[in-house]
Amino acid sequence: TMARVFVYGTLKKGQPNYKHMINTTKGIAKYQGRGRTVEKYPLVIAGKYNIPYMLNIPGTGHHIAGEIYTVDDQMLRFLDEFEGCPDMYQRTTMRIEVVEWEGKSGTAEVRPASSGVMECFVYNTSTYQPEWVQLPYHDNYDSSGTHGLSYVLRENRD
């Protein structure tokens, strides 16, 4: 069975951890299109490694832009582990508005509803540091963006 996952940070195309999404030894992840959260959330870049976090505070912040993937069970297990679920991030279900759909498969479970809104798993966090709420909120994450907070890859962390 395939699950839908919405990624908004370092796992997007062109971002530092995208390599994991296309590494078939970790499982299958198929890009379906671009979307954004129906509700607003704070997206902050935090910690000494400049990691993007979507804080689980619905109604605050921005509609967060990201990418929709269908993933198999093996990839979902990898992502849970990669995202430090459930300690650092929690995998929750969110409503995602489809902005651009490329999905090739015509099966109803994968295709967006006529409203253009679908449920996807998202790795967000309720276990954040209280001061993170004061950080600048972003609507679209780019590790080399104007914020100047370059993401530090795991292999480069001390």
Side-chain angles (χ1 to χ4, degrees):
T1 60
M2 300 292 274
R4 283 195 295 248
V5 177
F6 175 77
V7 300
Y8 58 85
T10 64
L11 291 165
K12 294 190 305 184
K13 289 181 182 182
Q15 297 304 311
N17 288 316
Y18 177 66
K19 59 184 185 241
H20 299 302
M21 299 298 282
I22 52 176
N23 181 344
T24 52
T25 63
K26 296 181 185 344
I28 305 295
K30 290 188 178 139
Y31 176 79
Q32 299 294 335
R34 292 184 305 113
R36 62 182 198 160
T37 58
V38 169
E39 290 197 78
K40 292 180 176 181
Y41 290 92
L43 171 58
V44 300
I45 301 171
K48 67 174 180 174
Y49 303 124
N50 296 322
I51 296 171
Y53 293 94
M54 184 191 298
L55 309 184
N56 197 353
I57 313 174
T60 301
H62 303 287
H63 300 283
I64 308 299
E67 297 171 351
I68 301 163
Y69 289 83
T70 48
V71 301
D72 65 3
D73 293 339
Q74 184 187 348
M75 180 58 85
L76 196 60
R77 282 192 302 274
F78 165 77
L79 289 171
D80 279 353
E81 189 181 327
F82 181 78
E83 299 289 10
C85 188
D87 304 320
M88 192 158 113
Y89 292 91
Q90 297 79 49
R91 174 160 48 96
T92 59
T93 306
M94 267 184 206
R95 290 167 58 235
I96 302 298
E97 178 191 352
V98 176
V99 175
E100 179 184 73
W101 191 252
E102 284 188 16
K104 304 290 185 280
S105 60
T107 56
E109 63 173 306
V110 177
R111 228 178 25 242
S114 56
S115 64
V117 172
M118 53 170 52
E119 301 260 313
C120 297
F121 284 130
V122 180
Y123 293 92
N124 61 8
T125 185
S126 303
T127 53
Y128 52 87
Q129 310 294 320
E131 61 270 20
W132 291 3
V133 177
Q134 310 304 322
L135 294 168
Y137 296 165
H138 303 271
D139 62 354
N140 194 355
Y141 175 78
D142 180 353
S143 66
S144 52
T146 53
H147 49 72
L149 301 167
S150 241
Y151 175 79
V152 179
L153 285 167
R154 286 193 186 180
E155 50 266 35
N156 301 336
R157 294 178 193 172
D158 44 32

